[in-house]
């Protein structure tokens, strides 16, 4: 329960952060956040039971949660494709993603409704998607679960493939971290739905005692953690854009360079423009980027004067990262 509520909270924060983008030009990630947040809340058994009681139809929360999860993962897939696929190919990919999500939603809804048409008076049919006990041996419930599991696995595989292919080429550290979290969440989602499908098979075979309860718990943990990772991954770049005016990334990079700057400029003091204005001062200044730029230039000058023997591999990596931060081309935002 805790991990699902944490994921819902992170998704709610993401929705708030994406509101300005939604107002300006529409935003797929905003809808991901809203849909997935509601689906995560409905996946909490206590809340689902309360929703069913309020609506007077048991199983409704599970039905709504499944449809919202299909919509959310369809939107996640669209967001990732729009962020990483070249403009010339993205339209076809988007059309395929939308079509697959619509087909999955129609099959999921259709199989649920068929249960009521076949046995409208059976109270066990409506609650079959939710109760997580042996009565889920109903074939319709198994079909519903299989449709949902299959779509979420396919969507997660598509997202994971895109992340593995494009994350290493991203110039922005924020986007690399964000998409890495999304990719990790996709792996956990694949595991969650695979476990859930295995549990459904055990129940259909009439052997829930072989581990259906343990598989159910494992699936809920993996699924909740998956949504939390994806929420954090999608939130991270958006959050950094909102704190960008504070120069937080430049200040942190200056902190990494303070010690090496002091050591190297002590050997070559002639390269320093202002001895009293060190990188340490820049951490708390109003223009951290200007301080970082000067520190990078002075460090490069020291490296040239030393004949390339001044830095360790770790220090050279920190300097390269600072240069990338200052001069790298911007990365297209997700959504």
């Amino acid at each position: 329960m805790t991990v699902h509520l944490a994921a819902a909270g992170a998704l709610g924060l993401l929705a708030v952060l994406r509101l300005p983008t939604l107002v300006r030009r529409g935003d797929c990630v905003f809808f991901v956040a809203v849909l997935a947040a509601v689906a995560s809340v409905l996946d909490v058994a206590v809340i689902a039971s309360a929703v069913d009681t309020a609506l007077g139809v048991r199983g409704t929360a599970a039905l709504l949660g499944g449809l919202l999860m299909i919509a959310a993962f369809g939107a996640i897939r669209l967001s990732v494709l729009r962020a990483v696929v070249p403009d010339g190919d993205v339209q076809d990919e988007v059309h395929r993603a939308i079509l697959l999500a619509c087909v999955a939603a129609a099959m999921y809804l259709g199989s649920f409704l068929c249960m009521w048409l076949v046995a409208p008076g059976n109270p066990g049919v409506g609650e079959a998607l939710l109760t997580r006990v042996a009565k889920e041996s109903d074939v319709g419930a198994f079909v519903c679960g299989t449709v949902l599991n299959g779509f979420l696995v396919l969507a997660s595989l598509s997202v994971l493939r895109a992340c593995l292919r494009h994350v290493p080429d991203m110039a922005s550290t924020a986007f690399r971290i964000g998409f890495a979290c999304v990719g990790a969440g996709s792996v956990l989602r694949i595991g969650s739905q695979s476990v859930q499908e295995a549990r459904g098979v055990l129940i259909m075979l009439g052997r829930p005692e072989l581990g259906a309860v343990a598989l159910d718990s494992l699936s809920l943990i993996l699924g909740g953690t998956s949504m939390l990772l994806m929420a954090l991954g999608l939130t991270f770049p958006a959050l950094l854009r909102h704190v960008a005016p504070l120069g937080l990334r430049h200040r942190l990079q200056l902190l990494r360079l303070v010690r090496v700057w002091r050591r190297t400029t002590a050997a070559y003091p002639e390269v320093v423009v202002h001895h009293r204005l060190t990188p340490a001062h820049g951490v708390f200044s109003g223009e951290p980027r200007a301080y970082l730029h000067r520190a990078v230039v002075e460090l490069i000058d020291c490296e040239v004067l030393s004949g390339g023997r001044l830095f360790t591999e770790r220090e050279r990596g920190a300097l390269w990262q600072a240069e990338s931060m200052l001069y790298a081309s911007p990365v297209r935002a997700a959504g």
Side-chain angles (χ1 to χ4, degrees):
M1 177 176 177
T2 302
V3 70
H4 284 82
L5 293 179
L11 288 161
L13 174 61
L14 174 60
V16 172
L17 292 174
R18 301 297 294 211
L19 268 175
T21 310
L22 176 70
V23 173
R24 287 198 307 270
R25 59 177 176 82
D27 185 12
C28 194
V29 177
F30 173 83
F31 295 105
V32 170
V34 173
L35 294 169
V38 178
S40 294
V41 170
L42 289 176
D43 209 22
V44 177
V46 176
I47 296 175
S49 179
V51 170
D52 288 347
T53 301
L55 296 176
V57 182
R58 299 194 68 180
T60 305
L63 172 63
L64 293 175
L67 291 173
L68 288 172
M69 193 64 74
I70 288 173
F73 269 78
I76 288 174
R77 187 182 179 198
L78 284 176
S79 299
V80 172
L81 291 175
R82 290 174 61 184
V84 300
V85 174
D87 291 333
D89 303 326
V90 71
Q91 202 64 29
D92 291 338
E93 293 285 350
V94 166
H95 288 160
R96 281 194 289 270
I98 292 174
L99 179 61
L100 180 60
C102 290
V103 169
M107 291 176 62
Y108 183 75
L109 179 60
S111 58
F112 185 89
L113 293 177
C114 283
M115 290 190 294
W116 290 99
L117 292 175
V118 172
N122 182 1
V125 174
E127 59 189 277
L129 291 176
L130 174 65
T131 50
R132 307 180 188 281
V133 292
K135 65 178 66 177
E136 291 183 23
S137 58
D138 180 87
V139 175
F142 179 76
V143 172
C144 279
T146 299
V147 169
L148 179 61
N149 293 335
F151 173 77
L152 295 184
V153 167
L154 287 176
S156 298
L157 282 171
S158 177
V159 171
L160 178 61
R161 184 170 60 250
C163 290
L164 291 175
R165 181 179 301 173
H166 296 283
V167 165
D169 299 326
M170 292 180 175
S172 168
T173 302
F175 274 85
R176 284 200 301 273
I177 294 174
F179 275 82
C181 287
V182 171
S186 299
V187 172
L188 291 181
R189 176 57 61 176
I190 293 168
S192 172
Q193 302 312 133
S194 299
V195 169
Q196 190 66 17
E197 186 66 17
R199 170 185 171 278
V201 170
L202 286 180
I203 293 175
M204 278 296 297
L205 294 175
R207 303 299 301 273
E209 71 278 3
L210 294 181
V213 175
L215 290 176
D216 186 39
S217 299
L218 177 59
S219 174
L220 288 173
I221 293 172
L222 291 175
T225 307
S226 164
M227 288 312 305
L228 182 58
L229 279 174
M230 287 189 167
L232 293 175
L234 293 171
T235 304
F236 192 68
L239 185 61
L240 283 188
R241 282 199 296 274
H242 282 75
V243 302
L246 301 177
L248 182 61
R249 294 172 63 231
H250 296 112
R251 297 178 198 277
L252 291 175
Q253 198 63 39
L254 278 168
L255 277 175
R256 293 186 64 191
L257 295 179
V258 166
R259 182 177 298 178
V260 63
W261 183 89
R262 286 175 177 168
R263 177 176 63 81
T264 55
T265 56
Y268 300 95
E270 63 273 19
V271 306
V272 180
V273 178
H274 299 291
H275 287 273
R276 293 185 178 181
L277 302 178
T278 68
H281 292 93
V283 174
F284 305 101
S285 75
E287 298 181 352
R289 190 183 189 282
Y291 276 85
L292 181 61
H293 182 271
R294 184 165 65 84
V296 168
V297 171
E298 291 170 353
L299 286 169
I300 291 175
D301 288 343
C302 290
E303 177 76 342
V304 172
L305 291 174
S306 70
R309 300 184 302 273
L310 198 57
F311 299 136
T312 64
E313 287 300 319
R314 184 174 182 179
E315 291 169 345
R316 190 170 286 107
L319 179 59
W320 178 86
Q321 195 170 40
E323 284 187 275
S324 300
M325 185 182 299
L326 291 169
Y327 306 122
S329 300
V331 177
R332 181 166 38 145

